[in-house]
Amino acid sequence: MNTEMPKTFFITTAIYYTNSSPHVGHAYEMVLADVIARYHRLKGEKVFFLTGVDQHGQKVQQSAAKAGVPPAEFVKGITQEFVDLPKKLNVQYDEWAETTSDRHKKVVRGILQRLFDEGQIYKDKQAGYYSVRQEQFLTDKERGPDGQFGLEWGEIEFREEENYYFKLSQHKEWLRSYLDNRNDAVIPDFRQTELRNAVEKISNNRQSDASAARTSDLCISRPKSRLDWGIELPFDKDFVTYVWFDALTNYISFAGYDPSLSTLSSQPSTFRDKWPALQVIGKDILVPAHGIYWLIMLHAIGFPDDQMPQLLVHGWWNLRGAKMSKSAGNIIDPFALADKYGAEALRYYLISEIVTGSDADFREESLVAEYNHALANTLGNLVNRTLTMIHRFRVGTIKSIDLTALAESELRSHLQAWSDGELKDGQAFYRGKFAEFRPSNALSAPLARALACNALVEISAPWNLAKDKQQEKLLDAVLYHLAESLRIIAIWISPVVPRAAHGIFDQLNWKMELSGKDERFSLADAQWGALPDGHVVGKPVPLFPRIEG
């Protein structure tokens, strides 16, 4: 008998840099990860959802100096904004990462010491062009056809400095082989192609070309004389580690990784139960940060190929075709949007309007239009009219009718088709789209069912059936069909708009003992016929008031 416990589904967002306030792009990433996490809970899986903040670095130190406060004090305020955002948007994470925590620092120092002892970290002096945004020295390979460094590198400056380097270049062939042998290392697939092309730009580490090797190796420190807001190197007190081995390590430090244990198989079971992770990141931090640096770092500390994380890369929310940025002054405040329209409306728009991996243009009028169409007019209207008719025609009680006992008719065929075959098709579609990390498409299943139910009301005209004693069973069958469809719709929408799903269950008077709890919803329950004969539903309460103006 197999007594092995099923693995936990581990999902992370990127950690957010605390040099400025959160914007709608941060909100989207958090909500996307939350929706995927909720879907896996819906399937009955144990989930570990990690998000948090990166509190160290030069930009934070500069922003703090500009504000006239110490870095530790500066990051407290920005960190609190990032803590408040998931609360505002009903994002339910399991662990919060902060890179100033002692727990994290211990793991970072342990990994650095191990790599230094193994000769994978060395000290050298380098002079050259430096990308402030990507925080790395650049080579001619990063230049475009015009001889210039591309916009993705941001501000470029010339620097000469002694630092510590990680031997990134010696792992190039491993990374190339890994990407060749795993076709879903990065999702969507065109992002994996993009990463594969970037790997080719890493110089090979040859003894005869030490300069080329060094420029493709990764600078992982800053002298304290220039930057003291960071984690001190365990082997040189005059330097702090910079960005990569600090920020990226959070994904394992807050999951229970022990750096003193050199193999993954020797790690605590609490870590092995979770790892590997699905990591939700923006397209701008795939290359080089997560796709090259992070994967190579894991390989260097002994993670085998089959334990590499999967990278789910999403696009950007643009504003009138331009990327949102603080410098451009076109940042959209997610707190203001949630206050104005509600968290559920914002969550629905962020998920339904963008295909995972692609860019989208943020339009407030589209948020209103999508909310009114899908939630207020379609689903909200269906809930209200269904419960109103059940109370009006059956004093709040539904009856489960054997459809085969009804006289043959087009209406009976419609009811049978949904309960027999169309539900299975909808369920398979819904599961399939989530398996492809396309929740925007998965939402088509509940929306299509709600539209079909509203059409059924018009076709069947329950108000006319109620006038004909010969049609009592048909009326009961229609009302049961509408109520049972609503129960299944609520399950399907629960990862995206959980409060609305609870609202539907509350009004159906269903599983009231679990009201407000995640375990109220299970994908296994999305089967026809769960509402019992004689079940009494609640009174209708408006779930989605229309947004006017």
Side-chain angles (χ1 to χ4, degrees):
M1 184 175 69
N2 184 6
T3 58
E4 185 177 340
M5 294 293 288
K7 283 182 73 75
T8 296
F9 175 73
F10 183 11
I11 185 169
T12 80
T13 65
I15 56 170
Y16 306 115
Y17 205 31
T18 51
N19 66 324
S20 60
S21 299
H23 55 68
V24 78
H26 298 116
Y28 168 61
E29 184 171 290
M30 282 186 177
V31 170
L32 175 60
D34 183 60
V35 167
I36 295 170
R38 286 179 183 272
Y39 171 72
H40 282 267
R41 294 190 195 105
L42 192 66
K43 290 201 299 176
E45 297 176 28
K46 187 178 178 184
V47 172
F48 184 74
F49 175 13
L50 173 66
T51 187
V53 287
D54 176 9
Q55 298 165 306
H56 289 131
Q58 186 171 321
K59 293 174 187 174
V60 168
Q61 183 168 293
Q62 291 170 343
S63 296
K66 190 175 180 181
V69 296
E73 183 180 333
F74 178 82
V75 298
K76 279 184 182 178
I78 302 296
T79 294
Q80 189 59 50
E81 292 182 41
F82 278 101
V83 169
D84 292 340
L85 184 58
K87 292 179 183 176
K88 191 77 170 178
L89 299 179
N90 196 16
V91 169
Q92 195 173 72
Y93 58 83
D94 298 288
E95 185 70 55
W96 180 259
E98 293 187 5
T99 56
T100 53
S101 77
D102 290 339
R103 171 187 179 186
H104 175 69
K105 291 176 183 177
K106 180 181 178 181
V107 175
V108 171
R109 290 192 181 108
I111 289 173
L112 288 170
Q113 186 65 59
R114 201 166 96 205
L115 292 174
F116 182 75
D117 292 343
E118 293 172 359
Q120 295 214 56
I121 292 176
Y122 63 95
K123 194 176 187 181
D124 201 357
K125 183 177 286 187
Q126 184 171 2
Y129 291 100
Y130 184 85
S131 164
V132 177
R133 174 186 292 171
Q134 298 292 356
E135 294 156 338
Q136 69 176 86
F137 281 97
L138 304 177
T139 71
D140 287 341
K141 285 195 173 188
E142 276 76 51
R143 295 183 187 272
D146 60 356
Q148 301 299 310
F149 295 112
L151 295 176
E152 69 272 19
W153 299 108
E155 179 188 352
I156 306 295
E157 60 186 37
F158 189 85
R159 286 188 185 177
E160 183 175 9
E161 193 169 77
E162 189 173 44
N163 270 303
Y164 284 89
Y165 293 83
F166 167 58
K167 292 181 178 178
L168 188 84
S169 57
Q170 73 176 24
H171 300 282
K172 172 183 175 177
E173 293 308 317
W174 166 79
L175 183 55
R176 178 159 56 186
S177 174
Y178 168 69
L179 294 174
D180 286 346
N181 291 322
R182 181 178 178 183
N183 60 14
D184 66 345
V186 184
I187 302 167
D189 55 3
F190 70 88
R191 294 294 179 200
Q192 180 149 336
T193 301
E194 176 185 314
L195 173 58
R196 182 65 175 75
N197 293 336
V199 172
E200 293 305 317
K201 294 183 179 181
I202 302 174
S203 298
N204 289 309
N205 191 354
R206 301 185 183 91
Q207 293 296 322
S208 59
D209 192 4
S211 175
R214 186 190 63 237
T215 54
S216 277
D217 285 342
L218 181 61
C219 183
I220 57 119
S221 71
R222 290 292 181 271
K224 281 188 178 178
S225 58
R226 183 158 70 84
L227 174 68
D228 59 6
W229 180 240
I231 300 173
E232 184 180 288
L233 293 184
F235 43 80
D236 194 328
K237 63 181 178 59
D238 293 327
F239 289 81
V240 295
T241 188
Y242 190 57
V243 183
W244 314 116
F245 277 92
D246 182 355
L248 295 172
T249 300
N250 94 90
Y251 302 128
I252 56 177
S253 65
F254 289 94
Y257 180 79
D258 185 343
S260 69
L261 304 172
S262 60
T263 63
L264 189 63
S265 60
S266 64
Q267 287 295 316
S269 60
T270 50
F271 178 76
R272 287 185 284 109
D273 169 65
K274 301 181 186 78
W275 193 262
L278 173 70
Q279 305 205 244
V280 182
I281 60 171
K283 66 179 186 179
D284 53 328
I285 56 173
L286 171 63
V287 177
H290 289 79
I292 296 177
Y293 300 163
W294 177 226
L295 296 183
I296 286 178
M297 285 164 57
L298 289 171
H299 174 67
I301 60 174
F303 281 63
D305 291 9
D306 64 352
Q307 293 297 307
M308 288 293 149
Q310 190 175 36
L311 304 178
L312 176 60
V313 183
H314 64 76
W316 287 339
W317 279 99
N318 298 320
L319 189 63
R320 290 182 289 276
K323 181 181 183 289
M324 293 183 198
S325 71
K326 187 178 179 182
S327 58
N330 62 353
I331 294 296
I332 293 177
D333 181 0
F335 291 99
L337 284 172
D339 285 338
K340 187 174 182 180
Y341 299 113
E344 297 276 275
L346 181 55
R347 284 176 65 101
Y348 190 87
Y349 175 73
L350 291 176
I351 294 302
S352 65
E353 192 72 4
I354 188 169
V355 175
T356 310
S358 301
D359 292 348
D361 214 41
F362 188 93
R363 293 185 174 89
E364 200 166 335
E365 60 271 24
S366 296
L367 186 159
V368 173
E370 185 64 22
Y371 170 90
N372 282 339
H373 163 65
L375 300 182
N377 296 348
T378 302
L379 183 53
N381 183 42
L382 177 62
V383 174
N384 185 71
R385 70 198 310 197
T386 296
L387 296 178
T388 297
M389 289 188 296
I390 292 171
H391 279 277
R392 180 181 174 188
F393 302 133
R394 290 293 182 262
V395 200
T397 302
I398 57 173
K399 294 183 179 179
S400 178
I401 299 296
D402 179 5
L403 296 178
T404 61
L406 298 175
E408 287 190 18
S409 66
E410 185 178 343
L411 188 53
R412 190 190 88 165
S413 297
H414 178 87
L415 297 175
Q416 281 181 312
W418 166 249
S419 57
D420 293 343
E422 292 176 13
L423 173 58
K424 287 183 180 179
D425 293 341
Q427 186 85 300
F429 176 86
Y430 180 83
R431 286 177 178 270
K433 292 306 174 185
F434 262 107
E436 296 170 1
F437 307 108
R438 297 169 74 93
S440 61
N441 298 108
L443 281 173
S444 299
L447 182 59
R449 176 81 319 243
L451 288 166
C453 285
N454 278 318
L456 173 65
V457 172
E458 300 306 320
I459 294 167
S460 63
W463 45 90
N464 289 330
L465 295 177
K467 298 173 185 176
D468 187 347
K469 284 281 187 183
Q470 302 297 317
Q471 303 291 353
E472 281 191 353
K473 287 188 176 180
L474 185 56
L475 174 60
D476 284 330
V478 169
L479 295 179
Y480 183 88
H481 181 96
L482 296 174
E484 181 67 352
S485 292
L486 280 174
R487 185 188 65 83
I488 291 170
I489 288 169
I491 293 171
W492 282 350
I493 66 170
S494 64
V496 180
V497 280
R499 287 174 182 153
H502 278 293
I504 293 173
F505 265 35
D506 287 346
Q507 293 189 43
L508 287 174
N509 190 31
W510 188 241
K511 292 194 172 184
M512 296 304 292
E513 71 281 3
L514 295 175
S515 185
K517 298 180 180 178
D518 280 350
E519 52 266 36
R520 194 181 197 185
F521 305 107
S522 168
L523 197 55
D525 290 344
Q527 306 296 330
W528 192 260
L531 288 176
D533 183 56
H535 180 70
V536 178
V537 301
K539 294 288 181 72
V541 178
L543 270 181
F544 305 107
R546 273 184 60 83
I547 300 173
E548 303 296 344

